[in-house]
Amino acid sequence: MRICIVGAGYVGLTTAAALADFGHEVLCVDMEESKINCLRQGKVPIYEPGLDELITKNVKNNKLFFSSLVEESIKEYPVILIAVGTPSKDDGSSNLMFVHRVIDVIASTTNVYKIIITKSTVPPGTNEWIHKRLIEKGIDEDLFDVVSNPEFLREGFALRDLYHPNKIVFGTKTSRPIKNLKKLYYRGKAPYIFTSLTGAELIKYASNAFLATKISFANEMARICDAYEVDYDDIAKGIGTDPRIGRYFLNSGLGFGGSCLPKDLSSLKHSAVKKNVETKLLDAVREVNDTQIDLYLNKLTTELPDLTGKRITIWGVTFKPDTDDLRSSPAVMMIKKLLEKGCQVHAYDPMVQLELSGVYSHTNQYESVKNSDALIISTEWQQFLETDWAEVKSRMKGTIVLDARNCLDGKLVRKFGFLYLRIG
Ligand code: UDX
Ligand code: UDX
């Protein structure tokens, strides 16, 4: 099929590269000309394992193209896939202005049949609105089908998730586009889930809200374990063997961040309140997550009561390992709180050099701990699990290692004379 993807961000770019690799002719457009110029020179503006190679391969095979001429491109293609940003507004609702803008461009350029697929995460009712909007704009209902096709990509595993999805969700108003939709993805054994437009939107939100709930449950359990001096990992292992629970996403630590979970949790709450539905559980999930950082800071101040002027090293600034994404990163939020407490913060991350005033960003893991009073692990990069603790000991002034991702082998760290702290 000939597909135009609007939005060359994390979701748009990874999806474009994979669909081209599946054999479709794909044009990826973005309003940011600089981003498109980069891509045309073979430079990929985001880090995602395997993405560079896949883009290079499919550009070479004349399957993947890039343009910043959004309107002209949309006009030419029978399948439009929308992957523009849906950032949060102050009230937690999703800002749909970019989606609306794309829909109005589609309305002004549609004179032959088009399938309009929304991949951006949008609140329930948005795709029904899109359908109504196109009709209001005078487009005959026979000339288009709106489809909700949420993504479930994890950053750092996006291509793996595209090649090995655990499901493919399509929300439609009629069965008309289904034959074509079944040509879109290589799905392997993954089931198709066909539902209504709003059903598909809510599957996406429910998925992310459930993942967030599981993480906040893990963090609350870790707090209880801490009070009873029990190793939380034993609990996670114990309950995780039950297939009704599953060990995945039970890692306790600084809490969930990134461009999706926090944003989608707020947007779902906003959508519920709009219908006078109370969200006691979602509120609790948020509250536990929002208080995790202070919990770890309290743990630190039990050993270092006055942080003023203390030299604190932070390992990991991205919101999770294997990505360059700092969006809603708990590590960055912790750094900001340490700066507020008058600390001298030295940061090291294998992928990103944090540019934040008051922070010394290092390019060498071991240089970053020189003369430090405490070391905090805030993102569980594999590299930190393979640390040479003797080397760290020889360089640090203090002995505190605060594991804010419960990812280190505490026994090993203690063996080198460190005061190893964690929660649960
Ligand atoms: C986006 C949505 O934000 C998220 O809700 C959804 O789940 C997946 O798609 P992401 O790909 O991470 O997530 O967004 P981002 O990296 O911000 O990329 C959006 C791209 O769209 C940007 O490159 C932006 O320049 C582009 N864009 C935005 C347009 O081309 N036109 C617009 O009108 C608005
Ligand atoms: C998430 C969803 O997993 C994905 O399906 C959806 O499409 C987009 O949002 P992503 O944002 O890439 O993907 O990150 P994810 O791997 O889900 O991690 C989210 C946050 O939760 C990170 O901050 C991570 O550190 C944290 N997390 C994850 C935990 O604290 N504990 C865990 O056990 C797992």
mmCIF file of all heavy atoms in Angstrom, residues 169-186:
data_model
loop_
_atom_site.group_PDB
_atom_site.id
_atom_site.type_symbol
_atom_site.label_atom_id
_atom_site.label_comp_id
_atom_site.label_asym_id
_atom_site.label_seq_id
_atom_site.Cartn_x
_atom_site.Cartn_y
_atom_site.Cartn_z
ATOM 1 N N VAL A 169 -4.568 -3.793 17.389
ATOM 2 C CA VAL A 169 -5.905 -3.289 17.714
ATOM 3 C C VAL A 169 -6.379 -2.339 16.615
ATOM 4 O O VAL A 169 -5.663 -1.405 16.246
ATOM 5 C CB VAL A 169 -5.891 -2.549 19.075
ATOM 6 C CG1 VAL A 169 -7.263 -1.927 19.359
ATOM 7 C CG2 VAL A 169 -5.478 -3.491 20.194
ATOM 8 N N PHE A 170 -7.552 -2.609 16.069
ATOM 9 C CA PHE A 170 -8.163 -1.711 15.095
ATOM 10 C C PHE A 170 -9.563 -1.339 15.582
ATOM 11 O O PHE A 170 -10.388 -2.214 15.848
ATOM 12 C CB PHE A 170 -8.286 -2.393 13.724
ATOM 13 C CG PHE A 170 -6.996 -2.511 12.964
ATOM 14 C CD1 PHE A 170 -6.529 -3.759 12.562
ATOM 15 C CD2 PHE A 170 -6.249 -1.385 12.642
ATOM 16 C CE1 PHE A 170 -5.332 -3.883 11.851
ATOM 17 C CE2 PHE A 170 -5.054 -1.489 11.934
ATOM 18 C CZ PHE A 170 -4.594 -2.738 11.547
ATOM 19 N N GLY A 171 -9.807 -0.023 15.675
ATOM 20 C CA GLY A 171 -11.147 0.465 15.960
ATOM 21 C C GLY A 171 -11.713 1.035 14.669
ATOM 22 O O GLY A 171 -11.038 1.824 14.001
ATOM 23 N N THR A 172 -12.913 0.592 14.275
ATOM 24 C CA THR A 172 -13.515 1.091 13.032
ATOM 25 C C THR A 172 -14.998 1.383 13.268
ATOM 26 O O THR A 172 -15.578 0.914 14.248
ATOM 27 C CB THR A 172 -13.414 0.037 11.894
ATOM 28 O OG1 THR A 172 -14.185 -1.114 12.291
ATOM 29 C CG2 THR A 172 -11.976 -0.382 11.642
ATOM 30 N N LYS A 173 -15.591 2.134 12.318
ATOM 31 C CA LYS A 173 -17.047 2.402 12.397
ATOM 32 C C LYS A 173 -17.795 1.378 11.551
ATOM 33 O O LYS A 173 -18.917 1.011 11.851
ATOM 34 C CB LYS A 173 -17.356 3.812 11.890
ATOM 35 C CG LYS A 173 -17.393 4.859 13.000
ATOM 36 C CD LYS A 173 -17.752 6.223 12.460
ATOM 37 C CE LYS A 173 -19.221 6.539 12.609
ATOM 38 N NZ LYS A 173 -19.639 6.557 14.047
ATOM 39 N N THR A 174 -17.147 0.912 10.489
ATOM 40 C CA THR A 174 -17.775 -0.104 9.617
ATOM 41 C C THR A 174 -16.732 -1.173 9.310
ATOM 42 O O THR A 174 -15.553 -1.003 9.608
ATOM 43 C CB THR A 174 -18.208 0.525 8.274
ATOM 44 O OG1 THR A 174 -17.006 0.799 7.519
ATOM 45 C CG2 THR A 174 -18.976 1.831 8.469
ATOM 46 N N SER A 175 -17.153 -2.231 8.637
ATOM 47 C CA SER A 175 -16.185 -3.295 8.307
ATOM 48 C C SER A 175 -15.470 -2.982 6.994
ATOM 49 O O SER A 175 -14.541 -3.685 6.601
ATOM 50 C CB SER A 175 -16.945 -4.628 8.163
ATOM 51 O OG SER A 175 -17.912 -4.449 7.125
ATOM 52 N N ARG A 176 -15.844 -1.893 6.316
ATOM 53 C CA ARG A 176 -15.308 -1.588 4.976
ATOM 54 C C ARG A 176 -13.774 -1.563 4.915
ATOM 55 O O ARG A 176 -13.175 -2.184 4.035
ATOM 56 C CB ARG A 176 -15.888 -0.266 4.467
ATOM 57 C CG ARG A 176 -15.450 0.110 3.061
ATOM 58 C CD ARG A 176 -16.242 1.250 2.482
ATOM 59 N NE ARG A 176 -16.087 2.471 3.279
ATOM 60 C CZ ARG A 176 -16.773 3.599 3.010
ATOM 61 N NH1 ARG A 176 -17.653 3.611 2.000
ATOM 62 N NH2 ARG A 176 -16.605 4.686 3.744
ATOM 63 N N PRO A 177 -13.065 -0.881 5.848
ATOM 64 C CA PRO A 177 -11.597 -0.790 5.678
ATOM 65 C C PRO A 177 -10.845 -2.050 6.117
ATOM 66 O O PRO A 177 -9.645 -2.156 5.887
ATOM 67 C CB PRO A 177 -11.228 0.388 6.602
ATOM 68 C CG PRO A 177 -12.255 0.368 7.674
ATOM 69 C CD PRO A 177 -13.528 -0.108 7.013
ATOM 70 N N ILE A 178 -11.555 -3.015 6.734
ATOM 71 C CA ILE A 178 -10.843 -4.132 7.379
ATOM 72 C C ILE A 178 -9.967 -4.925 6.409
ATOM 73 O O ILE A 178 -8.825 -5.270 6.733
ATOM 74 C CB ILE A 178 -11.845 -5.029 8.145
ATOM 75 C CG1 ILE A 178 -12.366 -4.244 9.360
ATOM 76 C CG2 ILE A 178 -11.214 -6.358 8.548
ATOM 77 C CD1 ILE A 178 -13.330 -4.966 10.249
ATOM 78 N N LYS A 179 -10.440 -5.156 5.186
ATOM 79 C CA LYS A 179 -9.658 -5.954 4.211
ATOM 80 C C LYS A 179 -8.291 -5.287 3.990
ATOM 81 O O LYS A 179 -7.253 -5.943 4.049
ATOM 82 C CB LYS A 179 -10.436 -6.031 2.891
ATOM 83 C CG LYS A 179 -9.999 -7.203 2.024
ATOM 84 C CD LYS A 179 -11.060 -7.555 0.953
ATOM 85 C CE LYS A 179 -10.526 -7.390 -0.483
ATOM 86 N NZ LYS A 179 -10.297 -6.024 -0.960
ATOM 87 N N ASN A 180 -8.295 -3.984 3.833
ATOM 88 C CA ASN A 180 -7.027 -3.257 3.624
ATOM 89 C C ASN A 180 -6.187 -3.225 4.897
ATOM 90 O O ASN A 180 -4.969 -3.380 4.859
ATOM 91 C CB ASN A 180 -7.318 -1.829 3.152
ATOM 92 C CG ASN A 180 -7.630 -1.792 1.668
ATOM 93 O OD1 ASN A 180 -6.974 -2.474 0.897
ATOM 94 N ND2 ASN A 180 -8.633 -1.019 1.296
ATOM 95 N N LEU A 181 -6.855 -3.068 6.036
ATOM 96 C CA LEU A 181 -6.095 -2.982 7.293
ATOM 97 C C LEU A 181 -5.314 -4.271 7.536
ATOM 98 O O LEU A 181 -4.208 -4.252 8.070
ATOM 99 C CB LEU A 181 -7.049 -2.712 8.452
ATOM 100 C CG LEU A 181 -7.727 -1.333 8.471
ATOM 101 C CD1 LEU A 181 -8.734 -1.241 9.617
ATOM 102 C CD2 LEU A 181 -6.689 -0.223 8.577
ATOM 103 N N LYS A 182 -5.889 -5.383 7.075
ATOM 104 C CA LYS A 182 -5.214 -6.667 7.302
ATOM 105 C C LYS A 182 -3.961 -6.810 6.435
ATOM 106 O O LYS A 182 -3.169 -7.712 6.631
ATOM 107 C CB LYS A 182 -6.188 -7.826 7.039
ATOM 108 C CG LYS A 182 -7.227 -7.990 8.158
ATOM 109 C CD LYS A 182 -8.070 -9.231 7.966
ATOM 110 C CE LYS A 182 -8.920 -9.511 9.220
ATOM 111 N NZ LYS A 182 -9.804 -10.693 9.018
ATOM 112 N N LYS A 183 -3.756 -5.854 5.485
ATOM 113 C CA LYS A 183 -2.541 -5.899 4.648
ATOM 114 C C LYS A 183 -1.422 -5.059 5.279
ATOM 115 O O LYS A 183 -0.283 -5.093 4.830
ATOM 116 C CB LYS A 183 -2.824 -5.327 3.257
ATOM 117 C CG LYS A 183 -3.833 -6.105 2.418
ATOM 118 C CD LYS A 183 -3.946 -5.456 1.033
ATOM 119 C CE LYS A 183 -5.293 -5.729 0.389
ATOM 120 N NZ LYS A 183 -5.713 -4.594 -0.478
ATOM 121 N N LEU A 184 -1.789 -4.298 6.340
ATOM 122 C CA LEU A 184 -0.856 -3.261 6.840
ATOM 123 C C LEU A 184 0.372 -3.857 7.536
ATOM 124 O O LEU A 184 1.504 -3.563 7.175
ATOM 125 C CB LEU A 184 -1.626 -2.371 7.822
ATOM 126 C CG LEU A 184 -1.107 -0.968 8.107
ATOM 127 C CD1 LEU A 184 -0.966 -0.162 6.826
ATOM 128 C CD2 LEU A 184 -2.052 -0.246 9.071
ATOM 129 N N TYR A 185 0.131 -4.712 8.539
ATOM 130 C CA TYR A 185 1.225 -5.185 9.403
ATOM 131 C C TYR A 185 1.569 -6.644 9.135
ATOM 132 O O TYR A 185 0.725 -7.430 8.724
ATOM 133 C CB TYR A 185 0.818 -5.066 10.874
ATOM 134 C CG TYR A 185 0.587 -3.650 11.346
ATOM 135 C CD1 TYR A 185 -0.706 -3.179 11.567
ATOM 136 C CD2 TYR A 185 1.649 -2.785 11.566
ATOM 137 C CE1 TYR A 185 -0.935 -1.889 12.007
ATOM 138 C CE2 TYR A 185 1.440 -1.494 11.997
ATOM 139 C CZ TYR A 185 0.145 -1.043 12.225
ATOM 140 O OH TYR A 185 -0.074 0.235 12.637
ATOM 141 N N TYR A 186 2.813 -6.937 9.428
ATOM 142 C CA TYR A 186 3.195 -8.342 9.519
ATOM 143 C C TYR A 186 2.907 -8.685 10.972
ATOM 144 O O TYR A 186 3.483 -8.106 11.877
ATOM 145 C CB TYR A 186 4.681 -8.511 9.208
ATOM 146 C CG TYR A 186 5.220 -9.830 9.672
ATOM 147 C CD1 TYR A 186 5.009 -10.987 8.930
ATOM 148 C CD2 TYR A 186 5.862 -9.931 10.901
ATOM 149 C CE1 TYR A 186 5.448 -12.206 9.394
ATOM 150 C CE2 TYR A 186 6.300 -11.150 11.367
ATOM 151 C CZ TYR A 186 6.087 -12.276 10.624
ATOM 152 O OH TYR A 186 6.488 -13.466 11.094
#
